[in-house]
Amino acid sequence: MSVRILALVGSLRAGSHNRQLAEAAAKHAPEGVEVVLHEGLGQVPFYNEDIDVEGTVPEAATALRNAAAQADALLLFSPEYNGTIPAVLKNAIDWLSRPYGAGALTGKPVAVVGTAFGQYGGVWAQDETRKAVGIAGAHVVEDAKLSIPGSVTRFAETHPADDAEVVEGLTKVIEQLSQAQPVAA
């Protein structure tokens, strides 16, 4: 049986190291696991309950919800912006948490990884992301973690897909996530 993991990247920048990390995850996913990067988080409007009404939900939000619903698990890639979670990733979590108690995240296994320029690799943002996605109803796979410090220098000349240590860490996280079971709401 194949496992489908949806990757959401919390950085919209074209040269994002977290985007590159997600590309590495897709490239090096173990056999039987498919990691699919979701495009279009930048087009999802800020969550507003007034527009989250059947028949009027923005197309980008519907596409995000459908992609998450079709996935067996989610892998979130979070950089650290001012010591916390990027708005685009928090917004995606907000959309996926609705409708309350029955959102696309409900009970679904989720892991959070990332890279940042600082010496801790964005752990504050990743911890905040785990907190938010857990409150939103997901099953956070707490042991599946990877924080890579010094992204600007570490990946200045090397793509994460070509960094053996990064690939090993990503592979371990993907294996843990692919083996996690959904949790009943």
Side-chain angles (χ1 to χ4, degrees):
M1 181 174 102
S2 179
V3 175
R4 182 181 180 91
I5 297 175
L6 181 66
L8 301 180
V9 180
S11 173
L12 301 177
R13 189 172 63 87
S16 162
H17 294 121
N18 279 281
R19 168 74 185 203
Q20 292 176 2
L21 196 59
E23 292 167 354
K27 179 178 179 178
H28 293 288
E31 188 173 332
V33 179
E34 177 187 23
V35 176
V36 178
L37 276 69
H38 183 76
E39 304 293 346
L41 285 187
Q43 284 69 53
V44 178
F46 283 117
Y47 184 80
N48 177 342
E49 199 169 1
D50 291 340
I51 62 173
D52 190 8
V53 178
E54 191 172 332
T56 64
V57 176
E59 187 176 317
T62 298
L64 173 63
R65 284 177 170 167
N66 289 340
Q70 294 170 5
D72 298 301
L74 281 81
L75 182 55
L76 309 184
F77 293 82
S78 183
E80 190 167 275
Y81 291 176
N82 299 313
T84 194
I85 181 175
V88 68
L89 193 53
K90 175 62 169 70
N91 188 49
I93 292 168
D94 290 344
W95 276 103
L96 293 173
S97 72
R98 300 291 192 257
Y100 180 75
L105 288 174
T106 303
K108 200 159 286 210
V110 175
V112 181
V113 299
T115 185
F117 177 64
Q119 66 181 338
Y120 301 110
V123 293
W124 289 347
Q126 293 162 34
D127 286 344
E128 289 294 315
T129 304
R130 283 183 199 90
K131 175 183 165 188
V133 78
I135 291 170
H139 164 57
V140 178
V141 182
E142 291 289 346
D143 293 339
K145 296 180 179 180
L146 179 64
S147 300
I148 304 164
S151 61
V152 173
T153 53
R154 182 165 190 160
F155 302 125
E157 311 240 346
T158 303
H159 191 286
D162 300 323
D163 182 316
E165 182 182 14
V166 169
V167 170
E168 180 182 341
L170 273 175
T171 302
K172 180 180 176 187
V173 166
I174 294 167
E175 286 172 350
Q176 289 172 292
L177 183 57
S178 68
Q179 294 169 9
Q181 298 298 311
V183 174

